[in-house]
Amino acid sequence: MTPRFSIYLAVCVVATFASTSIGQIVRSGSNGSLGALIATNTGEVLIPLPPDGKLHYTSVLIGDQTIVRFGRNALNTPVFLLATSNVVIQGLIDVSGTDGGDNMVGSGGPGGFDGGTWGIGGPPGDGEGPGGGTGGYYDDTNRLSGAGSFATRGSHRSGPVYGNRTLNPLIGGSGGGGMGDDPTTSNVEKGGGGGGGGAILVASDIRIEFTGRIFANGGIGYLLNRFGYGGGGSGGAVRLVAPQLMGNGYVDVAGRYSGVVPRYGSGEGRIRIDAASSTSLQLYGIVRFGGDLDVFSSVIPSLRIVEVAGQVIPESAGSTVQISLSRSASTNQTVKLRAKDFSGFVPITIAVNPEQGPSSRFVGEIKMGTTNVAEGIISVILTPGTVNRIQAWTQ
């Protein structure tokens, strides 16, 4: 039996662990349908993600002069880079969130969440995701934008910590709050929050040779005169799974400061290493080691929003549902959710993030019956006359 190791640090970890059971079988989940990925050109390679985020390769080679990024899909799933044979990473894999800017919201990396808006004619918006930071203002220190949280909490007006040490389910980082212009002052500066770092799983049935880098950083919040006033996004998530994991590769899921103001740093991301061989890695973030070499569970619970304010939501809507109500509509509305392959009572949190003003959270539960699918309705408050972004997750 492969022993499990537990390390919980928010700083650099140089990890070394001994071989225990190299013959252990990994089921990466790849069917090899995409053949071999060979990315050795100098510069950036952009790989579009399929609807489920799963890239089925026979082998992977990323050269030392190559930067690989991934285009987000409609559902904004994490990246699942899977191979039936060897994975060789000499260059850079980057699933980081982008920076917020002047009238520009930072986007989350694949599987991560966007930053908050600058208000668009109203109060600034909070960052998206379970740990999204609070929107704020440029000229009020007590109300500066909050940074995103994930494995650790951001240091200023941030959201809660979330996720688990196994990274199952795999989820990315949360966005920082936007920076609005305060109507009580002459200030007109405004900008978006940084996007949360994305999430990626790299798995091989045989071996990962890793001497390169993997980044899943949060984006920086809006900068003004080199100081950050929009909230920074939290770090994301990286999981590596293989019987043999070789090399001294560098993984960074650190959060980013809200600009260059250290006391307003965003939350750290999560790293999970599941392997049975000797290796030495440089790891920046919250780190856990284990021996779980099954990449995907046979049954994966899922939660989906199926109806908001009487409007049916198609499956293609993605993890964030956007609803606009007329200005005369009632603020009291409902969200219907569908839970699959859970058991017992499923605790639910719903976040409503309007483009103008702060986000709100609502809790409820779904009772699973004798079948594997059940639905529940939770009452929420929406803001008429603007776009409401709605997300749901289990607590």
Side-chain angles (χ1 to χ4, degrees), residues 6-17 248-252 271 273 279-289:
S6 296
I7 294 182
Y8 189 79
L9 297 173
V11 296
C12 172
V13 176
V14 178
T16 302
F17 50 102
N248 60 348
Y250 177 103
V251 180
D252 188 349
I271 299 171
I273 306 296
T279 190
S280 180
L281 303 176
Q282 303 171 74
L283 309 175
Y284 290 80
I286 301 302
V287 184
R288 288 283 183 174
F289 297 100

Side-chain angles (χ1 to χ4, degrees), residues 57-69:
Y57 295 111
T58 53
S59 62
V60 172
L61 171 59
I62 298 173
D64 62 359
Q65 300 297 314
T66 304
I67 301 171
V68 173
R69 294 189 171 95

Side-chain angles (χ1 to χ4, degrees), residues 117 123-126 352-360 383 386-389:
T117 69
D126 296 345
V352 176
N353 197 346
E355 284 191 339
Q356 300 179 15
S359 63
S360 300
T383 302
T386 189
V387 174
N388 294 266
R389 294 183 173 86

Side-chain angles (χ1 to χ4, degrees), residues 290-341:
D292 182 6
L293 300 187
D294 284 329
V295 175
F296 298 107
S297 303
S298 57
V299 177
I300 302 176
S302 63
L303 179 70
R304 190 172 73 83
I305 298 173
V306 297
E307 186 178 292
V308 177
Q311 300 181 41
V312 176
I313 307 301
E315 289 191 34
S316 60
S319 59
T320 301
V321 172
Q322 299 190 47
I323 291 291
S324 296
L325 302 179
S326 67
R327 294 188 179 277
S328 60
S330 171
T331 59
N332 298 314
Q333 299 291 344
T334 59
V335 174
K336 179 187 288 187
L337 303 106
R338 180 174 299 148
K340 182 179 179 182
D341 292 325

Side-chain angles (χ1 to χ4, degrees), residues 2 18-26 205-206 242-244 276-278 293:
T2 303
S19 175
T20 55
S21 181
I22 293 177
Q24 198 165 343
I25 296 174
V26 169
D205 288 355
I206 300 175
Q244 292 181 276
S277 68
S278 299
L293 300 187

Side-chain angles (χ1 to χ4, degrees), residues 49-113:
L49 286 180
D52 61 0
K54 296 179 181 178
L55 297 165
H56 295 267
Y57 295 111
T58 53
S59 62
V60 172
L61 171 59
I62 298 173
D64 62 359
Q65 300 297 314
T66 304
I67 301 171
V68 173
R69 294 189 171 95
F70 304 89
R72 295 198 328 187
N73 56 24
L75 296 178
N76 191 25
T77 68
V79 178
F80 300 96
L81 186 64
L82 314 173
T84 58
S85 185
N86 295 339
V87 173
V88 179
I89 303 171
Q90 300 168 339
L92 170 63
I93 294 176
D94 192 353
V95 293
S96 298
T98 64
D99 297 343
D102 184 12
N103 297 344
M104 181 176 67
V105 170
S107 297
F113 298 89

Side-chain angles (χ1 to χ4, degrees), residues 222-250:
Y222 173 55
L223 291 171
L224 177 64
N225 299 327
R226 295 188 64 249
F227 285 89
Y229 295 98
S234 76
V238 175
R239 184 183 176 203
L240 305 178
V241 186
Q244 292 181 276
L245 178 53
M246 305 169 59
N248 60 348
Y250 177 103

